[in-house]
Amino acid sequence: MDSRRYAMPTVNFGSFSKRRNSTKQPASLSDQRTVKLKETTSIDAPTFIITGDDFDYNYAQWGNRYYFITDIRSVHNGLSEIDCVLDPLATYKSEILASTQYVAYSSVSGGAWLADTRLPVLKSVTAAKQTAAISSLFNESGFYVLTCVGKDGCNTFAADITNLHALLDRINDWSDDIVNDIIGDTYDFSSVEDGLESLGQMMTRTGVVGNAYEAAPSCIRSCIWVPFFPTPFVNTGKELFLGQFDTGLSLFTLNASPVKGSITVGIPWHFSDWRRSYCEDVYLYLPLVGMVALASDNLVQQSSITVKYSATATDGCVCYQIVSGDQIIGSYGGQCSANYPIGISQQASAGAIAQTAFEGLHKTVNAGFSAASQLHPVAIAGGVADTAMTGIEAAYNTIDVAMSRNNSCIGGVGGGAGAGLDLNVTCYTVAHDTVINPSDMELTMGLPTMKPLQLSQCSGFCQCVNAHVEAPAMANELDAIDAMLNSGFYIE
């Protein structure tokens, strides 16, 4: 049995303010008394017997051990019993602070990007946006991309609506002139010699005998509208031919290669710490693609996003590559062209009109032109055309094979509705704030630390994981210390 029970121990008593789970030690306890120990008392929970009835203290020190006073009982004859319980954190403070433990939360922050998931997130939201314009590419007015088969192959031109109207007017004027010449007796077929001469003039001027007039508008292979500025795409000016027909228009040709560039848009972050990934959503609006959700986890330390774009006017396609820092976040594509059907809604061709005008004379030239068309325009004295037309037939067939295309029609603009929406790149962030600022947690529940530390580096609230302190203490005292460190305690 401990000999101190019979040596009338000296115990210091006093009033001391501290937390139950704190390492704080009193600077001094002023009331020193000689006490008796109650029979069968415990070192960890002793009962001291003192004289007097005016005892109102809450803390005691017996040797190197610190105690909380749990009860004061007045017995008899001016005697009082003071029940105490060991304060293990104050008693073994030096051993606790000298130990190295895995610290989950403390005054030592693990960094601005270490999340504190204990904080509730509010349902209310705050949104922000940053916008950047692809000013050298997109234009709401746009231009028309006209693809035609000309005398030297297929070409693509940049045009506006005025150019398209002029083109159609030019084709119509050409057909009207030929019809007027045929019907107005401009050509003389009164004799074999005059008929051959007139037929040669007609073919030299227009190629009217056959399907040349029908094929001219069919040389327009496509026409689309794109919401781009034409300047980055145009090449050199060139005369516009529909097959062998000279329209009299000179337009800029287009490069088939893509136009490339990049812009940078800022990320309008609401927070400057781990809440960027935990509480914020990032969206990127791409013209003609739509809204794209980005992983905020991968962007938390970036202040901006670079959008690389590549566009081709010939098909109205645009592609984006999203880059931030050293990472490619994603690639996206859109299509912005609107078909603009254009051509001739054909009336009877000039060749068909010639057929009517020459009706009754067709038998002479039928053999010469039957392979090339259904026209039978000249009834010249029998036998003359069979030989005379042979060379003309061969040349005409060669052109017809190269120029014959399906007809298109004249219509209105359709599609391309995406070009009517916003043509700027916009970065949106939507944030849900935490119920309190994370730094407000330091004094009460600590900041996320999540690393091994010597506990002397910490102050205030501290919580460990799997802590086991080495100290000259009994087993139940060590268990109490470990339990307090793991549930959270205060270093003071």
Side-chain angles (χ1 to χ4, degrees):
M1 186 173 293
D2 197 322
S3 61
R4 285 176 294 183
R5 297 185 57 192
Y6 301 97
M8 299 292 289
T10 299
V11 178
N12 295 329
F13 296 100
S15 294
F16 180 50
S17 297
K18 68 167 291 182
R19 297 177 177 92
R20 183 71 175 84
N21 57 343
S22 168
T23 62
K24 187 177 181 180
Q25 295 174 338
S28 64
L29 297 174
S30 58
D31 192 348
Q32 186 179 79
R33 302 191 184 193
T34 300
V35 301
K36 292 182 179 181
L37 297 178
K38 188 176 180 178
E39 295 293 331
T40 317
T41 194
S42 168
I43 295 297
D44 287 337
T47 299
F48 302 118
I49 300 174
I50 64 171
T51 59
D53 298 322
D54 58 348
F55 191 89
D56 61 354
Y57 301 123
N58 71 325
Y59 205 74
Q61 179 182 4
W62 180 19
N64 294 325
R65 291 171 175 264
Y66 293 93
Y67 296 89
F68 289 101
I69 295 176
T70 60
D71 194 13
I72 302 171
R73 293 186 303 278
S74 178
V75 185
H76 57 83
N77 297 328
L79 295 178
S80 296
E81 291 183 348
I82 312 300
D83 291 339
C84 299
V85 65
L86 183 71
D87 182 354
L89 296 184
T91 301
Y92 297 101
K93 179 178 180 178
S94 58
E95 288 82 3
I96 292 171
L97 296 186
S99 70
T100 297
Q101 310 293 341
Y102 184 89
V103 179
Y105 302 97
S106 73
S107 59
V108 180
S109 172
W113 305 109
L114 183 58
D116 190 348
T117 55
R118 300 170 299 174
L119 293 177
V121 177
L122 300 174
K123 291 298 183 182
S124 57
V125 300
T126 304
K129 69 176 182 177
Q130 288 284 341
T131 300
I134 308 181
S135 56
S136 62
L137 180 63
F138 290 118
N139 175 22
E140 290 186 1
S141 299
F143 69 95
Y144 294 88
V145 178
L146 183 66
T147 302
C148 304
V149 176
K151 63 180 181 179
D152 58 350
C154 189
N155 295 290
T156 303
F157 298 91
D160 56 28
I161 193 65
T162 303
N163 300 141
L164 298 182
H165 290 165
L167 174 61
L168 296 178
D169 289 343
R170 183 68 184 90
I171 295 175
N172 288 330
D173 290 344
W174 174 65
S175 64
D176 291 343
D177 291 343
I178 299 308
V179 172
N180 290 337
D181 286 346
I182 294 173
I183 297 177
D185 295 330
T186 300
Y187 301 105
D188 183 6
F189 296 98
S190 59
S191 65
V192 173
E193 291 78 5
D194 293 337
L196 288 173
E197 182 179 355
S198 296
L199 184 59
Q201 292 175 1
M202 290 164 58
M203 296 180 64
T204 300
R205 289 181 58 190
T206 67
V208 67
V209 181
N211 68 346
Y213 169 66
E214 293 178 350
S218 297
C219 292
I220 301 175
R221 301 308 302 141
S222 72
C223 183
I224 60 173
W225 175 86
V226 292
F228 299 144
F229 283 105
T231 305
F233 298 95
V234 297
N235 195 357
T236 58
K238 186 174 184 178
E239 297 295 327
L240 174 58
F241 279 80
L242 298 179
Q244 295 298 319
F245 171 58
D246 185 358
T247 65
L249 297 176
S250 179
L251 301 176
F252 283 105
T253 57
L254 291 177
N255 291 316
S257 57
V259 169
K260 298 181 290 184
S262 66
I263 63 166
T264 299
V265 59
I267 306 175
W269 292 116
H270 298 260
F271 306 114
S272 58
D273 53 26
W274 56 269
R275 288 175 291 177
R276 286 184 177 181
S277 64
Y278 190 73
C279 303
E280 293 197 57
D281 298 316
V282 182
Y283 303 94
L284 189 65
Y285 174 81
L286 298 173
L288 308 169
V289 170
M291 194 73 76
V292 177
L294 304 180
S296 56
D297 285 350
N298 298 330
L299 297 170
V300 290
Q301 292 181 296
Q302 304 299 327
S303 61
S304 63
I305 295 172
T306 298
V307 179
K308 297 181 179 180
Y309 60 85
S310 174
T312 48
T314 50
D315 57 4
C317 287
V318 60
C319 296
Y320 302 100
Q321 187 180 74
I322 312 304
V323 179
S324 188
D326 295 327
Q327 59 180 322
I328 296 176
I329 298 173
S331 299
Y332 309 92
Q335 213 281 343
C336 58
S337 66
N339 288 321
Y340 188 86
I342 184 173
I344 299 299
S345 179
Q346 293 219 201
Q347 53 185 324
S349 69
I353 295 172
Q355 175 184 353
T356 303
F358 306 150
E359 190 172 3
L361 304 177
H362 66 281
K363 292 182 181 179
T364 304
V365 296
N366 183 54
F369 278 86
S370 60
S373 71
Q374 298 300 317
L375 300 180
H376 313 294
V378 182
I380 307 174
V384 177
D386 283 342
T387 303
M389 293 295 191
T390 303
I392 298 174
E393 176 190 350
Y396 196 79
N397 276 337
T398 301
I399 297 176
D400 278 348
V401 170
M403 300 298 295
S404 295
R405 298 292 186 274
N406 293 328
N407 258 349
S408 53
C409 65
I410 299 173
V413 175
L421 302 178
D422 192 355
L423 294 178
N424 294 321
V425 173
T426 304
C427 182
Y428 295 90
T429 54
V430 179
H432 297 260
D433 204 354
T434 50
V435 68
I436 62 171
N437 194 302
S439 62
D440 295 341
M441 296 287 283
E442 179 179 352
L443 297 179
T444 55
M445 295 183 68
L447 303 176
T449 305
M450 304 300 169
K451 58 184 176 182
L453 286 176
Q454 187 176 36
L455 296 186
S456 60
Q457 299 180 45
C458 306
S459 63
F461 181 85
C462 181
Q463 184 175 0
C464 302
V465 175
N466 197 35
H468 295 285
V469 174
E470 183 178 349
M474 292 183 288
N476 60 324
E477 295 172 342
L478 291 174
D479 289 342
I481 294 171
D482 294 346
M484 287 184 173
L485 265 59
N486 290 328
S487 62
F489 70 109
Y490 290 87
I491 299 176
E492 297 180 291

